Amino acid sequence: MENIYEALKRTSKSDDFMQSVMTIRQKLLHLSYYNSTVNHEMIHRDLLAAIQHSNTDIGDLNDLKNAIPLDGIYMSSNLDEITLRLLQGFIFIQMDQDLHEGLLINVADLERGYRENNLAENEYSVIGPKVAFVEDLDTNLNLLRKEIISVNLVFEEQIKGTMSKTRVVIAYIDGVVNPQHLNTVRQRLGDLDFDVIYDTSTIDQIISDNTNTPFPLFMSTERVDRMKVNLTRGHIAVISNGSPYVISGPTTFFDFFNSPEDFYLPWILGTFFRFIRFIAIVFSIFASSVYVSVMTYHYTIVPRALLGPIIESRMNVPFPPFLEVLFMEITVELLREAGARLPTKVGQTLGIVGGVVLGQAAVQAGLTSNTLIIIVSLSALASFVTPIFKMANTIRFLRFPMILLAAGWGGLGMIIGVMFLLGHLLRLKSLGTPYLVPLFPFRYKGLREFIRTPFSMNSERPGFLRSLKDKSYTVQKHKDISDDYSNE
């Protein structure tokens, strides 16, 4: 019969898997458990201390079982069952004289990771789970272990920061992740030499393929369900102690506009909302610059029905369109930044009252026009639909270069800006993966990233990840039971 202690040591690759040998009452006990899933206080107070102070003579596993005042204890010699139970928060105890079986004891930490203040705030969704990561690394690992109960979920821990000594973990699913991507992350994280690791965002910027870009090259999320999906698809996650955000890669430009809520709705609705986001992003970047371009150089293309209201709204405005737009855009950014730094209730009040009061006062003072108020307001609203906050910040930034180019050269300046933007995006890579895939290089099957396809057509993992397993599940056709009734 196989030595289970050695078999567990050989098969478990994750750094949070622990094995130790303890001497209690002249008996050698071999302990195996996952550090991220067990309640350590329960192990020391209710388990080991109980064995130490028990009046029962411990000669075999039955005596050991009787000495432990806990429920949910049973013997097992089945390696598969033991592995599954360990992942669920059990501890496996063996005695030195027989390492072919042992006791499985339930010491799972059921409360870790669930508290009132770890709900997703910045990536909120109406439908679906709302549990978010917290600042404690062990808690975050526990949350992932609860969602992905597999021995193939591997955690590799490193200590980074010459002064902070921060624990950083690389998480991936063995047998699914591309080894080339994994080795790239290991190499870049291994070369990281930094005094203090402030957050995973620090690691994100240091290990990115290109640090001279406003675009995020790693997915940063606080949602556990999003990271669960990313890991099962073949992404690699990096988790840092002290940070409630987890980054993962490789990612593409289009991944940042997909919301987990898309998969909790029927695929038709998910696809509709996904298209709404893409349209909103285009509008947010170009709406203000189009206004500047048209009002400065191309006012002849304005329809006659709209020309009168626009002239009337700008009649008392002393500034050129460029300064008018710049004034309103900066005002909106000031309101947004002030609302974000204040407490939630105060920030919401400031945004509503400040927007209404300042907008109305600016129009009455002749500093801006009603038309521009509407355009800038819709542009700000459109930027909020981006599910990932870092990409939303990038969209906010891109408006200003486009406004400057539109003020300088009108429509030609906007075309120049778009060409520079596309050229920059074409050069970007995430862990060596082109940022604009599946458009460049073109991948026909990758076009499903734009459409939330039904689950019957979504079993294959994204091709750009080059995962070791192409399919995540097997699609089976449902039998129509109405045929059975018709044959009776």
PDB file of all heavy atoms in Angstrom, residues 39 58-59 88 102 106 156 160 175 183 218 227 243 285 303 330 340 356 375 406 424 451:
ATOM      1  N   ASN A  39      -8.506  26.587  10.089  1.00  0.00           N
ATOM      2  CA  ASN A  39      -8.568  27.497  11.227  1.00  0.00           C
ATOM      3  C   ASN A  39      -7.412  27.141  12.162  1.00  0.00           C
ATOM      4  O   ASN A  39      -7.456  26.132  12.865  1.00  0.00           O
ATOM      5  CB  ASN A  39      -9.915  27.350  11.938  1.00  0.00           C
ATOM      6  CG  ASN A  39     -10.120  28.377  13.024  1.00  0.00           C
ATOM      7  OD1 ASN A  39      -9.189  28.740  13.734  1.00  0.00           O
ATOM      8  ND2 ASN A  39     -11.350  28.841  13.159  1.00  0.00           N
ATOM      9  N   ILE A  58      -2.874   6.492  23.821  1.00  0.00           N
ATOM     10  CA  ILE A  58      -2.912   6.535  22.355  1.00  0.00           C
ATOM     11  C   ILE A  58      -1.989   5.452  21.813  1.00  0.00           C
ATOM     12  O   ILE A  58      -0.758   5.575  21.863  1.00  0.00           O
ATOM     13  CB  ILE A  58      -2.479   7.925  21.840  1.00  0.00           C
ATOM     14  CG1 ILE A  58      -3.418   8.997  22.376  1.00  0.00           C
ATOM     15  CG2 ILE A  58      -2.456   7.954  20.309  1.00  0.00           C
ATOM     16  CD1 ILE A  58      -3.033  10.397  22.014  1.00  0.00           C
ATOM     17  N   GLY A  59      -2.612   4.389  21.317  1.00  0.00           N
ATOM     18  CA  GLY A  59      -1.824   3.310  20.735  1.00  0.00           C
ATOM     19  C   GLY A  59      -2.014   3.181  19.243  1.00  0.00           C
ATOM     20  O   GLY A  59      -1.115   2.758  18.520  1.00  0.00           O
ATOM     21  N   GLN A  88     -10.909  21.187   1.079  1.00  0.00           N
ATOM     22  CA  GLN A  88     -12.124  21.736   1.684  1.00  0.00           C
ATOM     23  C   GLN A  88     -11.909  22.199   3.119  1.00  0.00           C
ATOM     24  O   GLN A  88     -12.857  22.615   3.778  1.00  0.00           O
ATOM     25  CB  GLN A  88     -13.233  20.670   1.644  1.00  0.00           C
ATOM     26  CG  GLN A  88     -13.689  20.340   0.238  1.00  0.00           C
ATOM     27  CD  GLN A  88     -14.694  19.202   0.204  1.00  0.00           C
ATOM     28  OE1 GLN A  88     -14.765  18.403   1.136  1.00  0.00           O
ATOM     29  NE2 GLN A  88     -15.472  19.127  -0.855  1.00  0.00           N
ATOM     30  N   GLY A 102      -5.038   7.438   7.789  1.00  0.00           N
ATOM     31  CA  GLY A 102      -4.994   8.468   8.808  1.00  0.00           C
ATOM     32  C   GLY A 102      -6.369   9.019   9.097  1.00  0.00           C
ATOM     33  O   GLY A 102      -7.391   8.525   8.581  1.00  0.00           O
ATOM     34  N   ASN A 106     -12.229  17.877  10.284  1.00  0.00           N
ATOM     35  CA  ASN A 106     -12.735  19.129   9.707  1.00  0.00           C
ATOM     36  C   ASN A 106     -12.350  20.305  10.596  1.00  0.00           C
ATOM     37  O   ASN A 106     -12.885  20.483  11.688  1.00  0.00           O
ATOM     38  CB  ASN A 106     -14.255  19.052   9.559  1.00  0.00           C
ATOM     39  CG  ASN A 106     -14.817  20.232   8.801  1.00  0.00           C
ATOM     40  OD1 ASN A 106     -14.091  21.167   8.445  1.00  0.00           O
ATOM     41  ND2 ASN A 106     -16.100  20.207   8.522  1.00  0.00           N
ATOM     42  N   GLU A 156       2.268  29.922  -5.680  1.00  0.00           N
ATOM     43  CA  GLU A 156       3.717  30.010  -5.517  1.00  0.00           C
ATOM     44  C   GLU A 156       4.040  31.329  -4.821  1.00  0.00           C
ATOM     45  O   GLU A 156       3.781  32.398  -5.365  1.00  0.00           O
ATOM     46  CB  GLU A 156       4.432  29.943  -6.874  1.00  0.00           C
ATOM     47  CG  GLU A 156       4.266  28.617  -7.590  1.00  0.00           C
ATOM     48  CD  GLU A 156       5.053  28.576  -8.890  1.00  0.00           C
ATOM     49  OE1 GLU A 156       5.746  29.568  -9.204  1.00  0.00           O
ATOM     50  OE2 GLU A 156       4.965  27.557  -9.603  1.00  0.00           O
ATOM     51  N   LYS A 160       8.920  39.821  -1.526  1.00  0.00           N
ATOM     52  CA  LYS A 160       9.419  40.937  -2.326  1.00  0.00           C
ATOM     53  C   LYS A 160       9.447  42.211  -1.486  1.00  0.00           C
ATOM     54  O   LYS A 160       8.625  42.418  -0.598  1.00  0.00           O
ATOM     55  CB  LYS A 160       8.540  41.145  -3.571  1.00  0.00           C
ATOM     56  CG  LYS A 160       8.672  40.026  -4.584  1.00  0.00           C
ATOM     57  CD  LYS A 160      10.069  39.992  -5.129  1.00  0.00           C
ATOM     58  CE  LYS A 160      10.382  38.739  -5.893  1.00  0.00           C
ATOM     59  NZ  LYS A 160      11.771  38.670  -6.314  1.00  0.00           N
ATOM     60  N   GLY A 175      -1.821  22.501 -15.579  1.00  0.00           N
ATOM     61  CA  GLY A 175      -2.458  21.698 -16.614  1.00  0.00           C
ATOM     62  C   GLY A 175      -3.335  22.499 -17.551  1.00  0.00           C
ATOM     63  O   GLY A 175      -3.793  21.979 -18.570  1.00  0.00           O
ATOM     64  N   ASN A 183       6.300  31.068 -16.982  1.00  0.00           N
ATOM     65  CA  ASN A 183       7.732  31.311 -16.816  1.00  0.00           C
ATOM     66  C   ASN A 183       8.069  32.794 -16.969  1.00  0.00           C
ATOM     67  O   ASN A 183       8.981  33.307 -16.306  1.00  0.00           O
ATOM     68  CB  ASN A 183       8.529  30.483 -17.829  1.00  0.00           C
ATOM     69  CG  ASN A 183       8.469  29.000 -17.526  1.00  0.00           C
ATOM     70  OD1 ASN A 183       8.319  28.606 -16.376  1.00  0.00           O
ATOM     71  ND2 ASN A 183       8.573  28.173 -18.558  1.00  0.00           N
ATOM     72  N   PHE A 218      -2.497  44.597 -17.460  1.00  0.00           N
ATOM     73  CA  PHE A 218      -2.941  43.495 -16.612  1.00  0.00           C
ATOM     74  C   PHE A 218      -4.333  43.822 -16.090  1.00  0.00           C
ATOM     75  O   PHE A 218      -4.632  44.975 -15.777  1.00  0.00           O
ATOM     76  CB  PHE A 218      -1.990  43.282 -15.428  1.00  0.00           C
ATOM     77  CG  PHE A 218      -0.713  42.574 -15.774  1.00  0.00           C
ATOM     78  CD1 PHE A 218       0.387  43.279 -16.205  1.00  0.00           C
ATOM     79  CD2 PHE A 218      -0.629  41.198 -15.693  1.00  0.00           C
ATOM     80  CE1 PHE A 218       1.566  42.637 -16.529  1.00  0.00           C
ATOM     81  CE2 PHE A 218       0.544  40.536 -16.009  1.00  0.00           C
ATOM     82  CZ  PHE A 218       1.644  41.254 -16.440  1.00  0.00           C
ATOM     83  N   MET A 227     -11.946  36.824 -10.940  1.00  0.00           N
ATOM     84  CA  MET A 227     -10.650  36.153 -10.900  1.00  0.00           C
ATOM     85  C   MET A 227     -10.803  34.643 -11.024  1.00  0.00           C
ATOM     86  O   MET A 227      -9.949  33.966 -11.602  1.00  0.00           O
ATOM     87  CB  MET A 227      -9.926  36.520  -9.598  1.00  0.00           C
ATOM     88  CG  MET A 227      -8.468  36.113  -9.586  1.00  0.00           C
ATOM     89  SD  MET A 227      -7.544  36.659 -11.053  1.00  0.00           S
ATOM     90  CE  MET A 227      -7.827  38.441 -11.006  1.00  0.00           C
ATOM     91  N   SER A 243      -3.038  44.266  -0.262  1.00  0.00           N
ATOM     92  CA  SER A 243      -3.770  44.836  -1.397  1.00  0.00           C
ATOM     93  C   SER A 243      -5.087  44.102  -1.603  1.00  0.00           C
ATOM     94  O   SER A 243      -5.108  42.871  -1.659  1.00  0.00           O
ATOM     95  CB  SER A 243      -2.928  44.744  -2.682  1.00  0.00           C
ATOM     96  OG  SER A 243      -3.695  45.162  -3.797  1.00  0.00           O
ATOM     97  N   ILE A 285     -14.777  59.257 -25.822  1.00  0.00           N
ATOM     98  CA  ILE A 285     -13.474  59.750 -26.282  1.00  0.00           C
ATOM     99  C   ILE A 285     -13.628  60.881 -27.291  1.00  0.00           C
ATOM    100  O   ILE A 285     -12.890  61.881 -27.237  1.00  0.00           O
ATOM    101  CB  ILE A 285     -12.653  58.597 -26.901  1.00  0.00           C
ATOM    102  CG1 ILE A 285     -12.319  57.551 -25.827  1.00  0.00           C
ATOM    103  CG2 ILE A 285     -11.357  59.121 -27.521  1.00  0.00           C
ATOM    104  CD1 ILE A 285     -11.611  56.328 -26.376  1.00  0.00           C
ATOM    105  N   PRO A 303     -26.414  70.528 -39.711  1.00  0.00           N
ATOM    106  CA  PRO A 303     -27.719  70.655 -40.368  1.00  0.00           C
ATOM    107  C   PRO A 303     -28.378  71.992 -40.037  1.00  0.00           C
ATOM    108  O   PRO A 303     -28.200  72.528 -38.925  1.00  0.00           O
ATOM    109  CB  PRO A 303     -28.523  69.482 -39.781  1.00  0.00           C
ATOM    110  CG  PRO A 303     -27.486  68.496 -39.332  1.00  0.00           C
ATOM    111  CD  PRO A 303     -26.319  69.314 -38.895  1.00  0.00           C
ATOM    112  N   ILE A 330     -12.509  70.109 -17.496  1.00  0.00           N
ATOM    113  CA  ILE A 330     -11.748  70.207 -16.244  1.00  0.00           C
ATOM    114  C   ILE A 330     -12.691  70.322 -15.051  1.00  0.00           C
ATOM    115  O   ILE A 330     -12.445  69.747 -13.981  1.00  0.00           O
ATOM    116  CB  ILE A 330     -10.778  71.402 -16.302  1.00  0.00           C
ATOM    117  CG1 ILE A 330      -9.682  71.145 -17.339  1.00  0.00           C
ATOM    118  CG2 ILE A 330     -10.152  71.659 -14.934  1.00  0.00           C
ATOM    119  CD1 ILE A 330      -8.721  72.292 -17.534  1.00  0.00           C
ATOM    120  N   ALA A 340     -14.809  61.488  -5.324  1.00  0.00           N
ATOM    121  CA  ALA A 340     -14.138  60.226  -5.008  1.00  0.00           C
ATOM    122  C   ALA A 340     -13.370  60.305  -3.701  1.00  0.00           C
ATOM    123  O   ALA A 340     -13.191  59.282  -3.021  1.00  0.00           O
ATOM    124  CB  ALA A 340     -13.190  59.844  -6.151  1.00  0.00           C
ATOM    125  N   VAL A 356     -25.331  70.358 -11.043  1.00  0.00           N
ATOM    126  CA  VAL A 356     -26.509  71.150 -11.411  1.00  0.00           C
ATOM    127  C   VAL A 356     -26.244  72.640 -11.217  1.00  0.00           C
ATOM    128  O   VAL A 356     -26.496  73.466 -12.106  1.00  0.00           O
ATOM    129  CB  VAL A 356     -27.730  70.693 -10.579  1.00  0.00           C
ATOM    130  CG1 VAL A 356     -28.912  71.635 -10.821  1.00  0.00           C
ATOM    131  CG2 VAL A 356     -28.103  69.270 -10.921  1.00  0.00           C
ATOM    132  N   ILE A 375     -23.405  67.679 -24.071  1.00  0.00           N
ATOM    133  CA  ILE A 375     -22.375  66.801 -24.642  1.00  0.00           C
ATOM    134  C   ILE A 375     -21.396  66.331 -23.572  1.00  0.00           C
ATOM    135  O   ILE A 375     -21.072  65.142 -23.483  1.00  0.00           O
ATOM    136  CB  ILE A 375     -21.637  67.532 -25.781  1.00  0.00           C
ATOM    137  CG1 ILE A 375     -22.578  67.750 -26.968  1.00  0.00           C
ATOM    138  CG2 ILE A 375     -20.410  66.748 -26.214  1.00  0.00           C
ATOM    139  CD1 ILE A 375     -21.974  68.563 -28.097  1.00  0.00           C
ATOM    140  N   ALA A 406      -8.086  68.355 -32.145  1.00  0.00           N
ATOM    141  CA  ALA A 406      -9.241  68.916 -32.858  1.00  0.00           C
ATOM    142  C   ALA A 406      -9.175  70.438 -32.888  1.00  0.00           C
ATOM    143  O   ALA A 406      -9.546  71.072 -33.891  1.00  0.00           O
ATOM    144  CB  ALA A 406     -10.533  68.454 -32.191  1.00  0.00           C
ATOM    145  N   HIS A 424      -0.196  52.907 -31.507  1.00  0.00           N
ATOM    146  CA  HIS A 424       0.273  52.592 -30.159  1.00  0.00           C
ATOM    147  C   HIS A 424      -0.325  51.279 -29.663  1.00  0.00           C
ATOM    148  O   HIS A 424       0.379  50.436 -29.078  1.00  0.00           O
ATOM    149  CB  HIS A 424      -0.093  53.738 -29.219  1.00  0.00           C
ATOM    150  CG  HIS A 424       0.300  53.514 -27.795  1.00  0.00           C
ATOM    151  ND1 HIS A 424       1.614  53.503 -27.368  1.00  0.00           N
ATOM    152  CD2 HIS A 424      -0.458  53.267 -26.690  1.00  0.00           C
ATOM    153  CE1 HIS A 424       1.659  53.265 -26.072  1.00  0.00           C
ATOM    154  NE2 HIS A 424       0.418  53.125 -25.632  1.00  0.00           N
ATOM    155  N   ILE A 451     -19.132  39.186 -28.624  1.00  0.00           N
ATOM    156  CA  ILE A 451     -20.487  38.669 -28.459  1.00  0.00           C
ATOM    157  C   ILE A 451     -20.494  37.699 -27.289  1.00  0.00           C
ATOM    158  O   ILE A 451     -19.655  36.802 -27.220  1.00  0.00           O
ATOM    159  CB  ILE A 451     -20.981  37.950 -29.740  1.00  0.00           C
ATOM    160  CG1 ILE A 451     -20.941  38.914 -30.926  1.00  0.00           C
ATOM    161  CG2 ILE A 451     -22.383  37.394 -29.539  1.00  0.00           C
ATOM    162  CD1 ILE A 451     -21.276  38.254 -32.239  1.00  0.00           C
TER     163      ILE A 451
END
